[in-house]
Amino acid sequence: MIGTGLRAFFALAIAIGFGFVGPAQAGATFDKVKQAGTLVCGVNPGLAGFGQPDNQGNYKGLDIDVCKAIAAALFGDPGKVKYVPLTAQQRFTALQSGEIDILSRNTTWTLQRDTELGLNFGPVVYYDGQGFIAPKKLNVKSAKELNGATICVQPGTTTELNLADYFRANKMTFKPLVIEKLDEVVAAYFSGRCDVYTTDRSGLASTRIARAQNPDDHVILPEVISKEPLAPVVRQGDDQWNDVVRWVVYALIEAEEVGITAKNIDEKLKSEDPGIKRMLGVTPGTGKSLGLDDKWAYNAIKAVGNYGEIFERHVGKDSPLKLDRGINALWTQGGLMYAVPIR
Amino acid sequence: MADIEHELGRELPVPAARPRPRTHGPIGWLRANLFSSLFNTFLTLIALCLLAVTIPPIIRWGLVDAVWSAPDGLACRGADGQEAGACWAFVGDKLRFILFGRFPYDEQWRPLLVVAIFVGLIVASCDRRLWGRRLVGLWLAGFVAVGVLMWGGVLGLTYVDTSLWSGLPLTLILAVVGMLFAFPLGILLALGRRSELPAVRAVCVAYIELVRGVPLITVLFMASVMLPLFLPSGLTIDKLLRAQVAFILFAAAYLAEVVRGGLQAIPQGQIEAADALGLGYWRRTRLIVLPQALAMVIPPLVNTFIGTFKDTSLVIIIGLFDLLGTVNAALADANWQGFYVEAYVFAAAIYFGFCFFMSRYSLMLEREFNQSRQH
């Protein structure tokens, strides 16, 4: 009941929103942020690994580190971020209305959002995708064998639609067991009320680690039935601001590729590699083009580490989620993370 | 003689009367309340059976088998991955976050003091000797103290942005400030609805019907999602303030109808008597009408207050971390997955404490104010 009300209201809010999303003045956001001295960053109220307050109330996570890196690049201080927790319904209006400067909240990049909502997406920071988890004893090797299966799914998100699309495209049938609350849908799966549970693969992995009596008794099927590229988002109309976000993320990815970490970055300042010298500002130039200090990339990497470090710390092997790098590995290791040249 | 003997003889065999059933003492109480008839005995036995079935497992889960300290969620579950008892270690680990949320960790004595001030003010309001100007003064001083403690920026306290206010203090601020502002507004609306001036009446009726016609969640949504779109770019009104105003406006409409019920119950004779004494509209309302009307509607008033208190949990949908918001955020921790029952039981206990207090307070007020009508 609440869900449909919210959705109708959201649609209305967006419709009205169009009128207000004209092309903003060039540089408006960039200047505003520089002047304010704080980055206002829209984040998830609580999603393990991506954005979540710890016991002391400090936000931690992969999306959070993107905000910290940008603040470090702008001000030389990763602490100059104001986090605004946003629900899924609020997030785009908060960005459109100028309440936040950047949205770093596990948001999927789609055509409709990029165009109709008047937004611009930065580089993808996590490639997610919807998958299935099944008990090993079912002996299912592929999602193609799931014809007639009972499938646990949460309503209201694209997850439910992707599921229906996939089964229709493969001419299979399924019985959906639709449960609103994450806790209950997971409990339903583990108690055997459904054969398979579907959600984003990062969610499946964390559920398997944290809730399964024995994680090895469950397999995540190889099929990825949707593409969920998660990226930071800014308003359209301020290209300079968009550039800052874009290049800070690229610097984090590039740093991993050339082996710069938060720890060894000061040694790397002495490196003879012209690429590293350019990126870290030893050879000046890149900062001026972005309207930042030449130390922008140095400050960002020093604050949060390179992309690989961020990944392992929050969602990878050093975190409770224990996700594999998978397609989020560098392009040199068969993944999709590829930074365009910083020069 | 024979007649007398005959009569005596008739009286002699009177059997000793059975003792009247005991009506006091524990056994008497049991007999009177639980076993007074066959049907009641039957109900009592059924209830006892239900309690016997449900209570022991709850105690075993919540106390006997409970885990009171553990480094993370896995340690709370046994080797088979099943939770044997409640994992209170989770609540313990997250206690400060659940209560105070994102308020700077080293400064959390400030919201703690705020909660203490609120509880102190509420308890002080129960003391009849303080009623009157002194209580108003006490509340004003309390509000100033709460503001100073939460915002800081003066007296050497560091400034804390409202976006970091969270947990129990936020819930209390939203509820208490909401009620205190909504109450006078509600009275004005109720008076306005019964006004003889058509314009005033129309505005009040339209307002009340409009606000009562939409769910609170849409009012909050309007305040947090729609409002910023109508404001010039760059101008943002504090999110907490928006939610607080939405609460006040919403609660006022409901209170107005409760108060109107009381107003309608005042006999016309009272008003005529006040007129005969030469009292004007405002003095008549303040001295004669409202005291009687409000005393009559204490139960529904407190009902609305309790509802408002619990409605504060809806701010979760606009991204404010009230008590339930911090509980939900705590539940997202990957180290402690799946301890929903423990977290919600803890939150429920806090909500129950406040709501139960309010309902007892309402009973006390009813006794105080309605003595004149008890015979």
Side-chain angles (χ1 to χ4, degrees):
Chain A
M1 181 195 79
I2 285 172
T4 52
L6 284 184
R7 231 168 293 151
F9 221 86
F10 181 48
L12 184 62
I14 292 297
I16 291 173
F18 293 144
F20 293 80
V21 189
Q25 281 169 302
T29 309
F30 182 80
D31 293 342
K32 190 203 123 194
V33 175
K34 283 287 263 186
Q35 205 192 341
T38 353
L39 175 71
V40 186
C41 186
V43 297
N44 197 306
L47 178 65
F50 289 88
Q52 187 206 5
D54 67 4
N55 284 358
Q56 309 204 347
N58 301 314
Y59 262 104
K60 295 267 166 70
L62 191 143
D63 284 338
I64 305 303
D65 275 359
V66 172
C67 296
K68 284 186 177 167
I70 294 168
L74 285 164
F75 315 115
D77 179 358
K80 294 205 164 153
V81 188
K82 181 184 165 191
Y83 299 101
V84 178
L86 295 169
T87 57
Q89 289 87 359
Q90 275 180 302
R91 55 184 165 179
F92 299 122
T93 353
L95 191 58
Q96 289 163 342
S97 68
E99 188 182 339
I100 57 174
D101 305 316
I102 178 173
L103 178 69
S104 186
R105 190 203 175 279
N106 54 296
T107 302
T108 304
W109 186 354
T110 66
L111 180 140
Q112 191 261 344
R113 288 171 175 175
D114 203 343
T115 55
E116 285 178 32
L117 295 187
L119 307 174
N120 272 339
F121 284 79
V124 175
V125 294
Y126 188 91
Y127 290 95
D128 212 338
Q130 189 176 337
F132 299 95
I133 189 171
K136 198 168 242 171
K137 60 177 191 291
L138 269 189
N139 241 335
V140 179
K141 292 281 182 296
S142 151
K144 299 253 163 59
E145 301 167 25
L146 290 179
N147 197 7
T150 306
I151 299 181
C152 278
V153 62
Q154 279 180 282
T157 59
T158 46
T159 313
E160 206 183 354
L161 303 174
N162 292 334
L163 178 67
D165 283 356
Y166 180 78
F167 274 76
R168 198 171 303 133
N170 286 290
K171 300 199 168 49
M172 300 194 294
T173 58
F174 70 102
K175 283 197 275 314
L177 184 59
V178 182
I179 301 176
E180 176 113 23
K181 293 220 44 137
L182 176 68
D183 154 49
E184 287 162 16
V185 76
V186 167
Y189 167 71
F190 283 114
S191 66
R193 279 178 62 200
C194 48
D195 305 317
V196 215
Y197 165 48
T198 181
T199 190
D200 287 348
R201 283 163 67 92
S202 60
L204 292 180
S206 68
T207 298
R208 180 168 68 160
I209 293 294
R211 299 293 295 277
Q213 295 176 21
N214 181 2
D216 293 336
D217 287 345
H218 300 265
V219 280
I220 295 178
L221 303 179
E223 282 82 3
V224 181
I225 66 167
S226 76
K227 288 191 274 191
E228 311 280 348
L230 310 181
V233 200
V234 296
R235 274 184 298 281
Q236 251 172 29
D238 186 345
D239 294 348
Q240 193 184 1
W241 179 236
N242 194 3
D243 284 343
V244 169
V245 172
R246 180 178 302 278
W247 287 100
V248 169
V249 175
Y250 282 144
L252 299 176
I253 297 170
E254 179 73 10
E256 185 186 6
E257 194 179 329
V258 298
I260 304 175
T261 62
K263 235 184 213 148
N264 72 10
I265 190 163
D266 287 310
E267 289 161 41
K268 291 281 180 182
L269 283 175
K270 297 179 214 113
S271 164
E272 289 304 314
D273 184 327
I276 293 181
K277 284 169 97 171
R278 265 195 301 274
M279 180 161 82
L280 298 183
V282 179
T283 313
T286 56
K288 189 160 170 283
S289 320
L290 283 169
L292 299 173
D293 187 87
D294 269 326
K295 287 268 180 206
W296 64 275
Y298 170 86
N299 288 333
I301 300 161
K302 178 93 180 164
V304 296
N306 64 40
Y307 178 77
E309 290 179 275
I310 297 173
F311 187 98
E312 300 297 359
R313 184 165 59 233
H314 295 300
V315 296
K317 59 177 185 289
D318 302 332
S319 77
L321 299 187
K322 307 254 183 298
L323 298 176
D324 288 330
R325 281 298 286 272
I327 52 172
N328 292 295
L330 291 176
W331 65 286
T332 49
Q333 286 151 25
L336 293 171
M337 286 297 163
Y338 180 99
V340 292
I342 299 178
R343 63 181 301 152
Chain B
M1 190 69 189
D3 277 314
I4 294 168
E5 263 196 299
H6 179 65
E7 279 182 6
L8 278 175
R10 265 174 63 184
E11 275 181 14
L12 278 174
V14 171
R18 286 177 61 190
R20 283 159 57 85
R22 275 208 266 177
T23 53
H24 47 276
I27 295 173
W29 182 88
L30 280 179
R31 202 195 298 263
N33 290 292
L34 298 179
F35 301 101
S36 59
S37 69
L38 198 61
F39 184 63
N40 281 354
T41 307
F42 177 67
L43 286 184
T44 302
L45 289 178
I46 294 230
L48 280 178
C49 284
L50 282 177
L51 288 178
V53 170
T54 53
I55 294 289
I58 290 178
I59 290 179
R60 205 177 314 130
W61 176 82
L63 296 172
V64 181
D65 291 343
V67 181
W68 297 92
S69 74
D72 60 23
L74 284 177
C76 254
R77 297 173 201 274
D80 57 349
Q82 288 291 30
E83 235 186 298
C87 183
W88 298 120
F90 164 69
V91 175
D93 188 48
K94 294 278 176 191
L95 186 64
R96 277 179 74 168
F97 179 75
I98 290 175
L99 288 181
F100 306 123
R102 294 176 58 218
F103 205 90
Y105 195 69
D106 298 329
E107 304 276 335
Q108 285 182 354
W109 58 272
R110 284 158 60 178
L112 180 66
L113 211 54
V114 165
V115 172
I117 289 176
F118 272 125
V119 172
L121 283 175
I122 296 168
V123 171
S125 307
C126 296
D127 188 346
R128 194 152 190 182
R129 284 165 302 172
L130 287 173
W131 287 0
R133 291 235 166 76
R134 283 162 72 188
L135 195 60
V136 175
L138 216 56
W139 274 91
L140 282 178
F143 270 125
V144 172
V146 165
V148 167
L149 284 169
M150 291 306 279
W151 265 299
V154 288
L155 304 176
L157 298 171
T158 49
Y159 172 74
V160 178
D161 195 78
T162 54
S163 64
L164 296 178
W165 298 12
S166 26
L168 186 57
L170 182 75
T171 295
L172 288 176
I173 288 173
L174 279 172
V176 174
V177 175
M179 291 170 200
L180 286 187
F181 279 82
F183 189 46
L185 188 60
I187 291 176
L188 286 180
L189 283 168
L191 291 174
R193 193 167 182 168
R194 287 169 57 82
S195 167
E196 283 155 15
L197 306 170
V200 173
R201 196 169 57 229
V203 168
C204 290
V205 169
Y207 176 83
I208 292 170
E209 295 304 332
L210 188 72
V211 173
R212 284 203 311 164
V214 293
L216 174 60
I217 207 155
T218 55
V219 176
L220 284 173
F221 220 66
M222 186 104 170
S224 83
V225 177
M226 302 275 285
L227 190 65
L229 292 170
F230 293 111
L231 294 172
S233 159
L235 174 73
T236 48
I237 300 177
D238 189 88
K239 197 150 104 179
L240 178 60
L241 183 66
R242 277 183 265 155
Q244 183 72 75
V245 170
F247 258 102
I248 292 172
L249 297 181
F250 194 80
Y254 277 84
L255 286 173
E257 287 300 279
V258 170
V259 174
R260 190 167 68 98
L263 292 178
Q264 275 172 345
I266 303 288
Q268 190 61 27
Q270 293 281 326
I271 293 166
E272 283 163 8
D275 284 341
L277 285 173
L279 296 178
Y281 175 78
W282 288 109
R283 290 178 70 196
R284 180 184 80 203
T285 306
R286 189 165 58 85
L287 298 172
I288 308 290
V289 178
L290 277 183
Q292 299 187 67
L294 292 182
M296 259 185 287
V297 292
I298 287 171
L301 270 183
V302 174
N303 202 22
T304 310
F305 283 157
I306 291 179
T308 307
F309 182 75
K310 289 190 288 188
D311 280 348
T312 56
S313 59
L314 287 175
V315 296
I316 211 164
I317 65 132
I318 59 170
L320 286 175
F321 278 122
D322 75 317
L323 182 61
L324 212 55
T326 52
V327 164
N328 278 328
L331 283 170
D333 192 332
N335 282 320
W336 297 95
Q337 276 202 0
F339 300 106
Y340 292 82
V341 180
E342 290 86 343
Y344 288 136
V345 165
F346 180 68
I350 295 180
Y351 276 103
F352 178 79
F354 280 97
C355 293
F356 187 69
F357 178 84
M358 276 195 268
S359 71
R360 303 312 295 184
Y361 185 47
S362 120
L363 283 181
M364 190 202 94
L365 287 182
E366 269 180 81
R367 271 199 306 275
E368 288 283 343
F369 283 123
N370 291 341
Q371 273 166 351
S372 57
R373 276 189 277 127
Q374 281 163 2
H375 300 291

